[in-house]
Amino acid sequence: MRVRTQLVLAFLLLAVVPLAGIVVFSYQTSQDAIRRAVAAESTSLAVEMGDRLDGVREEISQRLGRIAVLPKRSLLPGGVAGGEAIQVYTDLLSGMGAAPELVDWFEFSPAAEAGSQEPLLIYPSATLTKALRRLLERESSLADSGLSPEYLESIIQQAVRGRELLAEPELRAVEARGAEMEALLGTEFTSPVLRGDDVVGELKAFVPAMKLLLQVLARTPRDRGEVPFARDADGHLYVDRPQDERLLEEVGVALAEAGAGSGRTAVSPDWIVVETPDQESGLIFGIARPIAEPLREIRRTAVRNLGYGLALVALAMAGVLWLSGRMTRNLVLLTDGAERLAGGDLEARVPVTSRNEFGALARTFNRMAAELREKQVRLLDEERSRREEEVRRRLLEAENERKSRELEEARQFQLSLLPERLPDHPEVEVAVFMKTAAEVGGDYYDFFPSQHGAMTAVVGDAAGHGARAGTLVTVVKGLLTAGAAEAHLASLLTDASRAIKRMNLGRMNMAVTLARIHDRTVTISAAGMPPVLLYRSQTGSIEEILLPGTPLGGIADATYDQWSAELTPGDTLLMMTDGFPELLNRNGEVLGYQRARSLFEETVSRPPARITEVLARAAEEWTGGEPPGDDVTFLVLRKR
């Protein structure tokens, strides 16, 4: 079969068949997408109705709980309205507030010791509530308030009625309201009535369940013809509009399929019905939504698109017949040139001058033959370069490995400068945390106990980090080891600063805080460090101790101050480097000294080891797990 014929047949096969398949597939998937989208939206609306009903139940329960807590003092003098029970009813009415919006009446059952054992019905009364509030706000006697006992008792009798005085129809109405409430809302709203710590009875609220249910249905959006409904365990249907019952009759088949298992989605040719159960009440909330018009529009669009596609295929067929003739002629020339090149003729050329892809292919073919020898030479050069690059890479890896070993040795050396374990001191409880920002960090801590029972703690921060910072830490440790246990702290810092300056270490310097605890006294001296936080256990307050002074090695003749105070058992000190308060989160926000102080204040009641754990976790959460930009160290001392 000729190539031209194959091209025509391939075009028809690859154009008409896929076009029809795409139209059918698009039609089907569009229908499915419409149904899924409608089902998802309907499910969301049905769930929202259940959530609204839960909100109503929760609001009623919360209000009932607030109403059922009585004031410890009485609003009325003895004798008015007769007895303790009426006094309880009066107090309940005074706290009822906005309850009439959700409650028709209450039933109060007094406790056995309250006197009367008969339950009473309490009807919300705005008049009585206003009168009782007048008594309560003025805090005066009944006579001084301007309310007569007869008037107050008359409005109490209108709002409070004994159950035994109700006629049979009224009793049946009360029982029916309770049954309706249980069936539609799934609960009874009851609460013990408290006066102080004493239970004086039980309060039950009777709410208009049907009205609340219809309000829940009425608040559902109907932007696309949705029909909200609810169904109880007996299959009874509830709608908030009379015309909705007629619409649901049209959806009878889909509605029956959805109802066959609560929580299902049923689809009919014109409707989608979604139902979700409310676990507490046993109600099933549902949404019926029409989909006939969107589906009709999808069908019309599919037929129209198929017609347009077939017309375009016919037009393209005419062009294919003309183009295929030119393509096959150029293809013969290209085939002949390829055969010559395959035979070893690198001078072979293809005389195709068209500007289409065949012309581009011919030019590429001609260029390929001319560049073949050049590419062979280039391949040899590239291979030589690759081998040279491989040698350089291996040398670089060896150098990096050597530097990594040296850094690891420096890190191990710096760690050896730190105490192997925390001191077990009879007067001071100690905890510490350190996290470095590089292999060799610039932070340092140490402890120097004396023969006289004192203990001196040091926290330092060398400028920067890495090998230079580690070197300065080594120098400072050597300077402090000789006299930190007994020497005057401020003088010790002065001597150390001068010694470092004489070493000509350039701009290298180190901030240091020293704290010595002996008996009931703490002495602190600092050289350019953040403030020490001191928690006073007796007052629960926190003091910031910030002493002036430049870092060691900054100024040759630098002098330093020291601060002393008396400690009591439980007093706690937090010494830290600036890496902790200067931590940055992912938004570039600084943790800050105030937030660091708040974190310490929140955890200071815990053991020192727990304090460092909480602060370390707070630092980790603040940075989002990212490595810190500077070394972080904090040390906690607590007077036993």
Side-chain angles (χ1 to χ4, degrees), residues 51-93:
D51 292 343
R52 284 198 292 271
L53 185 61
D54 289 340
V56 171
R57 284 194 293 257
E58 180 67 19
E59 183 177 1
I60 294 174
S61 298
Q62 290 178 356
R63 292 192 180 189
L64 185 63
R66 291 195 297 268
I67 292 172
V69 178
L70 304 179
K72 292 185 178 181
R73 68 178 186 83
S74 297
L75 292 174
L76 301 177
V80 176
E84 172 67 14
I86 296 299
Q87 182 64 56
V88 171
Y89 315 148
T90 305
D91 291 339
L92 286 172
L93 286 171

Side-chain angles (χ1 to χ4, degrees), residues 228-245:
F229 64 90
R231 189 203 305 269
D232 61 20
D234 297 329
H236 185 73
L237 204 62
Y238 300 91
V239 294
D240 65 310
R241 296 181 182 180
Q243 60 269 30
D244 288 347
E245 292 190 23

Side-chain angles (χ1 to χ4, degrees), residues 177-233:
R177 176 57 57 83
E180 178 186 82
M181 195 168 55
E182 177 71 19
L184 297 185
L185 300 184
T187 184
E188 287 187 348
F189 299 101
T190 61
S191 175
V193 180
L194 303 176
R195 173 171 285 152
D197 296 329
D198 300 328
V199 178
V200 299
E202 183 182 66
L203 187 66
K204 178 178 180 181
F206 287 82
V207 303
M210 178 64 74
K211 177 181 177 182
L212 294 178
L213 177 59
L214 296 182
Q215 287 179 352
V216 168
L217 296 175
R219 291 174 60 187
T220 303
R222 297 170 177 262
D223 301 336
R224 296 177 177 85
E226 293 89 348
V227 179
F229 64 90
R231 189 203 305 269
D232 61 20

